[in-house]
Amino acid sequence: METKKFLLIVVFCLLISSSDSSLEYEYYRGSCPQADHIISSTLRRIYDQNPAVAPAILRLVFHDCFVQGCDASVLLDGTDIMGSEKDTPPNQSLKGFDHVDTIKAELESVCPGVVSCADLLVVAARDSIILAGGPFYPVLTGRKDSNRAFPDISYELPSPMDDLPTNIARFATRGFTARETVGLLGAHSTGMIHCRFFEKRLYKFGGTDQPDPSMDADFAELLQSICNNTHSHSHSPSPSPSLSPSSSKSHQEQAMKMDYEGTGSGFGTLYYRSLLQGRGILFVDQQLTAGEETASWVRQYASDVSLFRRDFGKAMMKLSNTNVLTGANGNVRQICREVDSSLW
């Protein structure tokens, strides 16, 4: 097993060696050799008490990297002179910030001022995927943290109601192909999705009196029974809500498990099979079957788990290396929520 993992590391690192030469495998081997172990062991301890941490961290890294790059800007609280990405509508349902704080505190107790929040987030996201039943992939490190947030750019995040052309165009602006987009959306294999993010598909879709015709009729009835007419409540345009975990049982917070066929029963593969059956929960997911190229990848991932896991790992590595800050271009926050006051 270790030999196989080593070969994967070599192959993947060769594949992305040109993405950012400033990042390294085991960047902290001299300054904080325990960093990966601290992150993984602390995350595992949290996960054993609260499995919802895995999809929460995964969603955080997507919302961080997709905005201005993987710089931990999504973790920053607002101040009198700086807005926060957390406060924008696409990010208001994000969770997991307290868990990031816990992991960071463990790192600071052993290696103060060494490991960046940006690196913490991408490593924790990889480990979260493994905990959710997804594939291992190597993570290069050496990222630095941003000293500001980018709330205005948060509105460029994908929406759960994006049609296929819009979705493909959004990912293309970040350098992702249609194939990579289909692969990345396989992350919607885990977590909870609140009814407010897909209820428009269930009632009077497109100005009609019927549900979305691309949804299997029996599945639509199931979702209607779960949501219990929450469509009378207000909507939030938060994107990628499938990764937002919640155990709330209130009327407004009725939710559907993304892995409704059973946790860990087939990360990715069952997601794509459900799309082929018209049982995608989010409109943006089901739309992957609306185009010839994307539908082809849906079919291939549904039938070939090895292909999906390989492509998903490569796409996550590419996402994790998006527009990173390195060297003197960033800093290392001691508290992930705060920028050092000396930098203002």
Side-chain angles (χ1 to χ4, degrees):
M1 184 64 182
E2 289 302 316
T3 300
K4 184 177 181 181
K5 182 177 286 190
F6 174 76
L7 291 174
L8 279 171
I9 291 170
V10 171
V11 171
F12 275 125
C13 288
L14 286 174
L15 284 170
I16 63 169
S17 60
S18 61
S19 61
D20 194 308
S21 59
S22 299
L23 299 179
E24 303 175 23
Y25 188 69
E26 295 186 344
Y27 174 83
Y28 299 106
R29 59 187 174 274
S31 57
C32 188
Q34 315 98 310
D36 274 16
H37 174 71
I38 293 171
I39 294 171
S40 62
S41 61
T42 306
L43 178 66
R44 182 64 200 228
R45 187 171 70 246
I46 298 170
Y47 178 84
D48 287 342
Q49 299 296 318
N50 180 14
V53 66
I57 295 293
L58 178 52
R59 189 172 178 227
L60 276 178
V61 83
F62 178 82
H63 282 237
D64 183 45
C65 296
F66 201 89
V67 174
Q68 188 66 13
C70 303
D71 58 5
S73 60
V74 74
L75 303 178
L76 288 170
D77 289 338
T79 68
D80 291 340
I81 59 175
M82 180 186 71
S84 173
E85 294 172 31
K86 298 178 183 180
D87 298 330
T88 61
N91 289 331
Q92 286 175 351
S93 59
L94 289 177
K95 293 177 172 62
F97 298 106
D98 54 336
H99 301 313
V100 172
D101 292 341
T102 299
I103 298 171
K104 179 60 170 173
E106 293 288 336
L107 287 168
E108 288 296 310
S109 69
V110 177
C111 308
V114 175
V115 181
S116 68
C117 299
D119 276 343
L120 181 168
L121 202 51
V122 297
V123 173
R126 187 273 312 278
D127 292 345
S128 293
I129 288 167
I130 295 172
L131 289 171
F136 165 87
Y137 56 91
V139 172
L140 303 183
T141 44
R143 296 164 192 77
K144 292 301 195 309
D145 300 326
S146 170
N147 61 9
R148 56 164 295 192
F150 304 91
D152 292 344
I153 306 179
S154 295
Y155 290 89
E156 298 177 12
L157 281 157
S159 163
M161 287 303 294
D162 280 346
D163 60 19
L164 182 61
T166 302
N167 190 39
I168 294 299
R170 287 188 195 270
F171 277 88
T173 64
R174 270 42 178 192
F176 291 98
T177 65
R179 176 178 182 173
E180 291 168 332
T181 300
V182 177
L184 281 174
L185 286 179
H188 287 183
S189 297
T190 183
M192 296 284 288
I193 170 63
H194 296 296
C195 291
R196 65 183 183 273
F197 297 119
F198 60 85
E199 62 192 9
K200 287 183 178 179
R201 300 188 68 201
L202 306 180
Y203 312 97
K204 299 183 179 180
F205 181 80
T208 71
D209 290 328
Q210 302 297 321
D212 180 354
S214 68
M215 180 179 288
D216 174 78
D218 291 338
F219 191 58
E221 289 184 9
L222 171 64
L223 294 180
Q224 287 171 346
S225 68
I226 291 172
C227 292
N228 194 25
N229 293 323
T230 58
H231 64 288
S232 62
H233 291 270
S234 60
H235 304 283
S236 169
S238 174
S240 303
S242 56
L243 303 181
S244 174
S246 172
S247 59
S248 172
K249 300 300 182 182
S250 69
H251 183 65
Q252 191 172 358
E253 294 300 311
Q254 292 292 337
M256 178 71 173
K257 287 184 177 181
M258 294 302 286
D259 50 348
Y260 54 86
E261 296 193 37
T263 303
S265 59
F267 184 94
T269 302
L270 293 179
Y271 163 78
Y272 296 108
R273 290 175 183 171
S274 72
L275 299 185
L276 295 177
Q277 298 166 355
R279 297 170 69 89
I281 299 176
L282 295 176
F283 183 71
V284 69
D285 292 333
Q286 193 59 58
Q287 277 283 290
L288 294 179
T289 61
E292 182 177 347
E293 180 181 4
T294 53
S296 173
W297 288 114
V298 169
R299 289 191 294 271
Q300 291 186 63
Y301 291 152
S303 62
D304 190 338
V305 64
S306 296
L307 175 64
F308 162 70
R309 292 172 75 89
R310 183 169 62 250
D311 280 5
F312 180 76
K314 288 166 61 177
M316 283 301 300
M317 291 176 73
K318 181 174 179 177
L319 176 69
S320 300
N321 297 339
T322 301
N323 295 335
V324 298
L325 301 175
T326 58
N329 293 323
N331 59 86
V332 175
R333 297 183 214 138
Q334 292 184 306
I335 300 175
C336 291
R337 296 171 178 265
E338 302 175 2
V339 175
D340 188 333
S341 59
S342 66
L343 297 174
W344 291 105

